[in-house]
Amino acid sequence: MTQQNMWGRTRRAARAALAPGTGRRKQARRPRGRLMRRPDYPRAGRRGWRRWVPSWRLTLGSLLTFAATLVTVVGIAYARTEIPEDLNAFATQQDTVYYWADGTPMARTGWVSRQEMPLSKIPDHVRWAVLAAENADFYSDHGISTQGLTRALWRTLGDGETQGGSTITQQYVKNVYLTQDRSFSRKFTEMLLAVKLDRNMSKDKILQEYLNTSWFGRGTYGLQRAAQAYYGKEVTQLDASEGAFLASLLKGASLYDPAVNPRNRARAVERWRWTLDRMVQIGRLSRAERAKYTTFPDPKPPHGPSGTSGQNGYLVQLAESYAKRAGHISDARFDLGGYQIYTTFEKPRTTALARSVREARDALDPKRRKEDRHVRFGAASVAPDGRILAVYGGPDFERQAFNESNASTVPAGSAFTPFVYAAGLQHGITRERNGPRVTITPSTVYDGDDGIPVTTPEGPYWDRSGKTVKGENDGNRSYGRISLHDAMVKSVNSPFLQLGVDTGLKQVRSTAEASGLLASSFGPPVPAFAMGNSTPSAIRMAGAYGTFAAHGLHTDPYSVSRVTRNGTKVRLDLPQPRRAVRSDVADEVTAALTRADGGKGGVATGPVAIKNGTTGDDTARWRVGYTPTVSTAVVVYRMDLNRSLAPLPLKGLGGASAGDRDFPARIWKTYTEAVTK
């Protein structure tokens, strides 16, 4: 080999040993399979934002890895999921027991029997009404709905809460195997069980058990019990229209049962129509059959629970409502029963109050006198610490479920003036627009004459009809210049009408609300507000007066002191006392209302603070009296509930010309004598 050839070979070998274009020596190839190749991310050889855009290979690989991992996790979870052998507690429902304040049983309620109904006996049109409303694809799905699952997942990720999208199989699983909480883990378990159940149980069996275990409100589980509760008939006798209404209850009886709330009827009618139209869409109801159902099938009123006749029904109604609210117990959960509810009601007081009202009612003669028709009595006793001790809700709960002691239907009238007095003492008054507030005392003098115009910083107050608003005293009596203390003692109205304007209706309202009257019962903010255009219930009026007995501390009225379920205590959010007015203000109101002998029509058992109340149109009469231990409010009014909620005049009540005003005082006196013996 020539020297030239050797030199050329050496030169080519050197070039081959170098990486082309870099001048760097080539790296030796690594044996395949020894180390995993690092993903090219951020991408080499790219600049700017393109470095951060993954390649299609990386994207596809990531998606495949995620899918494989998800399938593996779900597969393992599915394999380890077993269908529970035990059903939820509703299969062994219990009564709920209510107790008097002394611990003795008061009433038992609850639906403890659940009637099974084979699917073969449930009419097809009723069955398909439920399927049309809840899960039209039930017979073709695999236990879960892909669309519903996607919607539920989207809502969960967006709102942080699990949402709907459940099939009937999932609902059945939730009803009988799981709890009602809305966590993601419960929803995941529900779906796994639904798929497994769908593979191990026939569709007809699942549907049958679902229809027999679902909650329909009014304490009922299952279509058979629902048919009896809402229509008084067997499920086999239901038509498609009635079945469509019952199907709507599966969305929540509290939203669609007209007996729960009058506004529910409109929602129920809309849902009922939609369900029938949906049955036509899926081919389970002909258009000719649909055309027959144009009138909504109103359900029957609910029957009173057993053991709730007389006054007990009103007590149970109050206690149940409060226990649910304070104990955060859902309607469906409460209807499972098994609760022990210890109320604040005292049996001797309840019996005495009912007897006192009954004696007053016996003095009426509705057959002979039209003025004695549609007379209603509401009464309540509340302790200063908020315990409701007794109520009179009506003649009999099973004949009239409307609770007159808890109804905000008639004005407070002059029984409202103690709150005006308290507001003036608490906040002071101002007689100049945006002027400084001036402190007043019980000896502050006002004009007590009848017909005195109400004045503002700009002059007399004119109502919308263009008339000057004037104070009106009982019997059109004038008292001249009179101190606020004496005006309260003698029930002179005109000073407190002016005091309300001087104090400011906003301050009067806040004082009344702090004392326990509900804002929802307040009347419009006009001078008549000081004369009681608000409509508090007897319970709230007794509780608000109890604030004065408690030296200015108010505790909201409550009817349940303790709740247990199967021996386990249920946490209650009981009300706590709060300062409503200064103690000296409350004590002055008490001093102005106190009668050494209980006042006219009262009892000579010691000092008692009493206020009678009347309205300008004589549609309501009140008597509110309290001692350091109890406050009792009695209201008498007339109202024909079959026509309207407008109160009727009381003139001529009882056939007396002057003594007709004594009905509240007569009841209060008889009751107080009975409980203080």
Side-chain angles (χ1 to χ4, degrees), residues 154-166:
W154 178 260
R155 292 283 187 86
T156 301
L157 295 176
D159 300 338
E161 296 180 359
T162 58
Q163 298 293 328
S166 297

Side-chain angles (χ1 to χ4, degrees), residues 119-192:
L119 189 65
S120 59
K121 292 187 177 181
I122 298 177
D124 283 345
H125 50 257
V126 176
R127 180 197 314 182
W128 279 101
V130 173
L131 291 175
E134 292 296 306
N135 187 187
D137 299 324
F138 169 73
Y139 279 100
S140 60
D141 66 35
H142 297 288
I144 60 174
S145 167
T146 304
Q147 292 181 348
L149 177 60
T150 303
R151 183 171 62 253
L153 181 60
W154 178 260
R155 292 283 187 86
T156 301
L157 295 176
D159 300 338
E161 296 180 359
T162 58
Q163 298 293 328
S166 297
T167 64
I168 278 180
T169 307
Q170 288 177 260
Q171 293 180 48
Y172 171 65
V173 166
K174 180 179 66 175
N175 289 344
V176 301
Y177 296 124
L178 304 176
T179 64
Q180 302 298 312
D181 70 89
R182 299 176 66 82
S183 65
F184 182 83
S185 61
R186 199 274 298 157
K187 192 74 176 178
F188 183 68
T189 304
E190 171 190 301
M191 291 186 293
L192 293 178

Side-chain angles (χ1 to χ4, degrees), residues 483-503:
S483 69
L484 289 174
H485 176 89
D486 290 344
M488 181 58 65
V489 171
K490 298 177 182 180
S491 296
V492 185
N493 293 336
S494 54
F496 295 104
L497 186 64
Q498 182 64 54
L499 179 62
V501 175
D502 292 346
T503 302

Side-chain angles (χ1 to χ4, degrees), residues 501-576:
V501 175
D502 292 346
T503 302
L505 298 180
K506 182 178 181 181
Q507 283 71 24
V508 174
R509 177 188 172 106
S510 66
T511 300
E513 186 173 358
S515 298
L517 300 189
L518 296 177
S520 59
S521 70
F522 288 151
V526 295
F529 185 80
M531 284 294 103
N533 63 8
S534 301
T535 57
S537 66
I539 292 176
R540 283 288 169 175
M541 190 65 102
Y545 270 68
T547 300
F548 303 132
H551 307 290
L553 286 176
H554 173 71
T555 306
D556 277 342
Y558 64 98
S559 56
V560 177
S561 60
R562 183 163 59 98
V563 175
T564 59
R565 188 171 193 274
N566 297 331
T568 301
K569 187 175 181 180
V570 177
R571 186 180 67 85
L572 294 180
D573 293 334
L574 295 178
Q576 300 299 316

Side-chain angles (χ1 to χ4, degrees), residues 68-152:
T69 303
L70 182 61
V71 170
T72 302
V73 171
V74 172
I76 294 174
Y78 178 83
R80 299 181 62 179
T81 299
E82 298 292 339
I83 299 176
E85 297 181 0
D86 297 327
L87 301 181
N88 274 340
F90 68 81
T92 56
Q93 292 181 62
Q94 305 173 60
D95 284 350
T96 289
V97 184
Y98 295 80
Y99 297 90
W100 293 103
D102 63 3
T104 57
M106 181 179 73
R108 292 177 179 269
T109 66
W111 304 80
V112 297
S113 61
R114 180 173 58 85
Q115 299 178 8
E116 294 280 348
M117 182 61 62
L119 189 65
S120 59
K121 292 187 177 181
I122 298 177
D124 283 345
H125 50 257
V126 176
R127 180 197 314 182
W128 279 101
V130 173
L131 291 175
E134 292 296 306
N135 187 187
D137 299 324
F138 169 73
Y139 279 100
S140 60
D141 66 35
H142 297 288
I144 60 174
S145 167
T146 304
Q147 292 181 348
L149 177 60
T150 303
R151 183 171 62 253

Side-chain angles (χ1 to χ4, degrees), residues 239-256:
D239 58 30
S241 178
E242 294 163 336
F245 166 73
L246 294 182
S248 70
L249 298 173
L250 293 168
K251 288 294 184 184
S254 60
L255 296 175
Y256 295 98

Side-chain angles (χ1 to χ4, degrees), residues 331-374:
D331 290 341
R333 183 67 177 170
F334 191 86
D335 279 342
L336 298 180
Y339 291 93
Q340 298 78 44
I341 299 179
Y342 297 85
T343 74
T344 61
F345 305 124
E346 296 182 359
K347 186 175 183 179
R349 286 187 176 276
T350 301
T351 302
L353 189 57
R355 185 186 301 116
S356 301
V357 176
R358 187 166 56 249
E359 290 178 3
R361 191 184 291 275
D362 290 343
L364 302 175
D365 191 355
K367 293 183 179 180
R368 293 179 54 193
R369 293 189 296 267
K370 65 178 183 180
E371 295 84 0
D372 291 355
R373 298 169 189 167
H374 312 299

